[in-house]
Amino acid sequence: MRACPDTRPPRRVRSPRGQGDRLREEILAAAENLLVASGDESALSVRAIAAAVGVTPPSIYIHFADRNELVFAVCARQAEQVDRAMDERASGEPDPLERIRLRGFAYLAWGLANPEHYRILMMGRPAATPARFAGHRVAGGGGLDALAADMSEAAEAGRIRLRHPPRVSAELFWMVVHGMVSMLIAKPHLESAPPQETYQRMFDLVLLGLAPRD
Amino acid sequence: MRACPDTRPPRRVRSPRGQGDRLREEILAAAENLLVASGDESALSVRAIAAAVGVTPPSIYIHFADRNELVFAVCARQAEQVDRAMDERASGEPDPLERIRLRGFAYLAWGLANPEHYRILMMGRPAATPARFAGHRVAGGGGLDALAADMSEAAEAGRIRLRHPPRVSAELFWMVVHGMVSMLIAKPHLESAPPQETYQRMFDLVLLGLAPRD
DNA sequence: TGTACATCAGTGAACGCGCGTTCACTGATGTAC
DNA sequence: TGTACATCAGTGAACGCGCGTTCACTGATGTAC
């Protein structure tokens, strides 16, 4: 029978001089783990993160201005992957229409694999989003531009017929995929078919599904 | 110079005997006001609602099991309007395809008019949603069925070409509109055109926008 | 080689807050006899 | 007509919690002279 078991997590060893930024990385990694394990942004409290790192709460503020900055920094890390993932999926595919399909699917897969990150970045209250994350961070700048490029190439190749500038069509297509992702995240039980099947149907719908008979 | 100004809201007069349910209505109305005024679910604290009604916090629990039930009861009230709104918009329109368009637009308009309600009902964490609100409450049962009916009628009339059962096509269409709504709620600054214009583009996209050249 | 000093990476303790929820109680009103 | 009782619509006070954030401080390590 131990008198007073010490259940506190092990104290972290102090970074050597000049290596203070190590803590920043450890904070981000611990927060990422907490977010994935809990699937709930509210698990990301300053205190919980500090405890997971093995450090006291004030130490967080050495590296982040406030909680919100930290939360978004965690998500931004994952978000960097999506543009890369979309490009990887599309690269090597000669058919621009198929590239569009692959990009959309990569986005969907990323969202479903990181639902809480997606929720924070893309479904949050606008006021909660720090300015530098408010813009087209995800599937934004790079993602939408590449999509628009594929759109115009597909149109030139006669694979599709564009009614708007490529960029506008790219935004519309992205909104459609976003609808699927946010839907599956918020209401997973409404999933009547596997996501890839629904995605295919959605893609067909947009591409030729409900087209009027001639 | 008043000594000790009483800034508390006026006490509510007690309901007469047998009229205890009046308080329930007043709670829902006060919560609705708070939600609309703040545009933030977190403003809906039990204490804030009680104060707005002019009653003490424990009184809330006479009529609601917990905070979550109350919050969803508030949203469910607004949600009842959307099915009615969609039917009203569609009724009288002979063209089934146009009815589909009108239903979707009514849904969009409702979502944008009640963003915080929409967020709570349709964009929340699944676990936070009480069981009886988890299903197709919004644009669900009634809404999707009516949409599916219009789909098959439009197909019979030769206005569209269905690649799936009408119900599936209705769900896909609904997901597209949901994408627009949730997008505009979360990222209003990305709105590059008025919603009705984007909606029209989206509708055209689904209906005939990117259809391949024959 | 020794010593004063600056810097760095954190810590300890606390501030003040609002939150959901529970429990025993109150005081007015109706009802049975 | 009077009185005991039950019911109803709430209240008052508190429980216990975790939260973000701030402030003055510490102790080890490097650096200048």
Side-chain angles (χ1 to χ4, degrees):
Chain A
M1 195 210 238
R2 293 165 300 172
C4 191
D6 190 353
T7 55
R8 284 173 307 176
R11 274 277 178 88
R12 171 177 173 274
V13 293
R14 193 194 207 78
S15 295
R17 252 195 175 215
Q19 305 293 321
D21 282 352
R22 280 190 194 172
L23 178 55
R24 186 190 158 86
E25 295 304 306
E26 290 176 43
I27 290 169
L28 287 172
E32 169 72 18
N33 288 341
L34 281 172
L35 191 60
V36 169
S38 67
D40 190 338
E41 184 195 334
S42 71
L44 285 191
S45 74
V46 172
R47 289 170 142 95
I49 295 165
V53 175
V55 111
T56 61
S59 302
I60 303 291
Y61 294 89
I62 299 170
H63 296 286
F64 300 93
D66 53 33
R67 187 194 101 105
N68 213 34
E69 271 230 350
L70 166 49
V71 170
F72 273 84
V74 170
C75 292
R77 283 196 147 192
Q78 282 291 336
E80 284 167 12
Q81 294 183 359
V82 73
D83 279 21
R84 194 164 48 242
M86 288 193 292
D87 285 343
E88 269 173 23
R89 281 267 200 160
S91 82
E93 171 58 47
D95 178 7
L97 184 54
E98 177 64 6
R99 283 207 301 273
I100 293 171
R101 198 185 70 81
L102 289 170
R103 282 185 192 283
F105 190 74
Y107 184 86
L108 168 68
W110 172 78
L112 296 183
N114 303 278
E116 204 60 15
H117 301 78
Y118 195 88
R119 179 188 292 283
I120 293 168
L121 283 172
M122 306 305 293
M123 300 164 69
R125 211 174 311 280
T129 309
R132 64 199 170 92
F133 296 105
H136 280 222
R137 278 288 297 198
V138 173
L144 275 182
D145 287 344
L147 205 56
D150 285 344
M151 286 270 175
S152 59
E153 194 179 324
E156 279 164 23
R159 300 282 287 131
I160 56 173
R161 189 171 48 187
L162 287 184
R163 311 182 87 234
H164 308 289
R167 174 79 186 198
V168 171
S169 293
E171 284 172 2
L172 292 175
F173 177 70
W174 170 63
M175 248 190 228
V176 168
V177 182
H178 165 73
M180 250 202 88
V181 178
S182 63
M183 173 65 199
L184 289 175
I185 288 177
K187 307 277 176 198
H189 58 97
L190 294 189
E191 206 178 1
S192 55
Q196 60 268 33
E197 204 167 301
T198 302
Y199 177 74
Q200 189 60 53
R201 285 176 179 164
M202 195 64 107
F203 192 76
D204 291 345
L205 174 71
V206 167
L207 268 291
L208 40 83
L210 289 178
R213 291 173 181 155
D214 305 295
Chain B
M1 197 210 231
R2 293 164 301 170
C4 190
D6 189 354
T7 55
R8 285 174 305 179
R11 276 275 179 89
R12 170 177 173 275
V13 292
R14 195 193 206 79
S15 294
R17 252 196 174 214
Q19 306 292 322
D21 281 353
R22 278 189 195 173
L23 177 55
R24 186 189 159 86
E25 295 304 306
E26 290 177 42
I27 290 169
L28 287 172
E32 169 74 17
N33 288 341
L34 280 172
L35 191 59
V36 169
S38 67
D40 191 338
E41 184 195 336
S42 71
L44 285 191
S45 74
V46 172
R47 289 171 143 92
I49 295 166
V53 174
V55 113
T56 61
S59 302
I60 302 291
Y61 294 88
I62 299 171
H63 296 286
F64 300 92
D66 54 32
R67 187 194 102 104
N68 214 32
E69 271 231 349
L70 166 49
V71 170
F72 274 84
V74 170
C75 293
R77 283 196 146 192
Q78 282 292 336
E80 283 167 13
Q81 295 183 359
V82 73
D83 280 20
R84 194 164 47 242
M86 289 192 291
D87 286 342
E88 269 173 22
R89 280 266 200 161
S91 81
E93 170 58 48
D95 179 8
L97 184 54
E98 176 64 5
R99 282 206 300 273
I100 294 171
R101 199 185 70 80
L102 290 170
R103 281 184 194 282
F105 190 74
Y107 184 87
L108 168 68
W110 173 76
L112 295 184
N114 303 277
E116 203 60 15
H117 301 78
Y118 194 89
R119 179 188 292 283
I120 293 169
L121 283 171
M122 306 304 293
M123 301 165 69
R125 212 174 311 281
T129 309
R132 63 199 170 92
F133 296 105
H136 280 220
R137 278 287 298 198
V138 173
L144 275 181
D145 288 343
L147 205 55
D150 286 344
M151 287 270 177
S152 57
E153 193 178 324
E156 278 165 23
R159 300 283 286 133
I160 57 174
R161 190 170 47 188
L162 286 184
R163 310 182 87 234
H164 308 288
R167 175 81 186 196
V168 171
S169 293
E171 283 172 3
L172 292 174
F173 176 69
W174 170 63
M175 248 190 229
V176 168
V177 182
H178 165 74
M180 250 202 88
V181 178
S182 64
M183 172 64 198
L184 289 176
I185 287 176
K187 306 279 178 198
H189 59 98
L190 294 189
E191 205 178 1
S192 54
Q196 60 268 32
E197 204 167 301
T198 301
Y199 177 74
Q200 188 60 52
R201 286 176 179 163
M202 195 64 107
F203 191 76
D204 291 345
L205 174 72
V206 167
L207 266 292
L208 39 84
L210 289 179
R213 290 174 181 155
D214 305 293

